[in-house]
Amino acid sequence: MNRPDPALLQPRKSPQQARSTATIEAIRQATIQVLLADGVGRLTTTRVAERAGVSVGTMYQYYPHKQALLFGIVEKQLRLIEEAMCAACERLMGTDLKTLAEGLAAAWLGAKLADMVSSRAIYGIAAEFDLSDPIGRSAKMLTEMYDTLLANAPDARFADRATVAFMLAALLGGSVRMVMEADPAEGNLERLRTELPRACHAYLVAACQVG
């Protein structure tokens, strides 16, 4: 897998005005459209610029190359998911296991499905580029938040709470990714909405009993 120098993945400049912000968003949307239509291998900055309706020179003002463009998509999507889950954890602090499981599952699904196109695009990028650093940082942060939630659940004690938090994060992330990559039809998404909270709660109850 490609693993560029992280310093090369940063945008050349950040948008300072509303017009610049609109340009960045147009580039982002065009990148996702080209990525989903043609795949990572055929995505080029020239094709993205054409789809976005901007010049290649304008593209290079923000993103020096294809890798920076793709990693920008990843970073923004991860940030939005982290913000949504952080807000959910604040709301759920001190609740029982059932409320906690249902709330986390609903928040995760809401965050991933709010922009399902971008979420699916990340999976395509991950097939070509090594995203272990940004995704690893995000997973670590989420797992630590879940650990704190479990520590404050009034009806549960765990022998190895950190491992339970890790597996809860894996259960949430893996279940949704499998469906979104394989067949994100509405029927399957509805199954996720019904069954993922049950699966999370059942796991937490089982882990608590073991402890």
Side-chain angles (χ1 to χ4, degrees), residues 105 109 171-172 175-176 191-200:
L109 283 167
L171 177 59
L172 289 167
S175 299
V176 174
R191 291 188 182 99
L192 268 181
R193 294 185 185 99
T194 301
E195 300 302 327
L196 187 57
R198 293 178 182 174
C200 290

Side-chain angles (χ1 to χ4, degrees), residues 94-103 149-150 153-158 164 197 200-209:
T95 59
D96 58 62
L97 283 186
K98 186 173 188 295
T99 302
L100 187 155
E102 291 175 349
L149 269 184
L150 295 175
D155 59 340
R157 293 294 180 271
F158 302 94
V164 175
C200 290
H201 184 229
Y203 169 67
L204 291 177
V205 170
C208 184
Q209 289 172 342

Side-chain angles (χ1 to χ4, degrees), residues 27 45 52 58 66-67 72 92 101 103 112 135 146 154 158 164 170 186-187 189 195 201 203:
I27 292 171
T45 52
T58 297
K66 169 181 173 177
Q67 289 89 341
L92 295 167
K112 297 293 286 187
I135 291 179
Y146 301 160
F158 302 94
V164 175
E186 182 55 38
L189 296 178
E195 300 302 327
H201 184 229
Y203 169 67

Side-chain angles (χ1 to χ4, degrees), residues 127-198:
E128 295 288 334
F129 293 95
D130 184 356
L131 302 181
S132 58
D133 285 345
I135 291 179
R137 287 193 301 270
S138 182
K140 182 176 184 295
M141 188 192 80
L142 292 174
T143 300
E144 289 173 350
M145 288 195 299
Y146 301 160
D147 190 13
T148 301
L149 269 184
L150 295 175
N152 287 275
D155 59 340
R157 293 294 180 271
F158 302 94
D160 186 353
R161 196 179 64 239
T163 295
V164 175
F166 169 82
M167 286 305 302
L168 180 60
L171 177 59
L172 289 167
S175 299
V176 174
R177 177 169 184 170
M178 188 278 289
V179 172
M180 291 185 70
E181 284 192 310
D183 184 8
E186 182 55 38
N188 288 334
L189 296 178
E190 189 57 36
R191 291 188 182 99
L192 268 181
R193 294 185 185 99
T194 301
E195 300 302 327
L196 187 57
R198 293 178 182 174

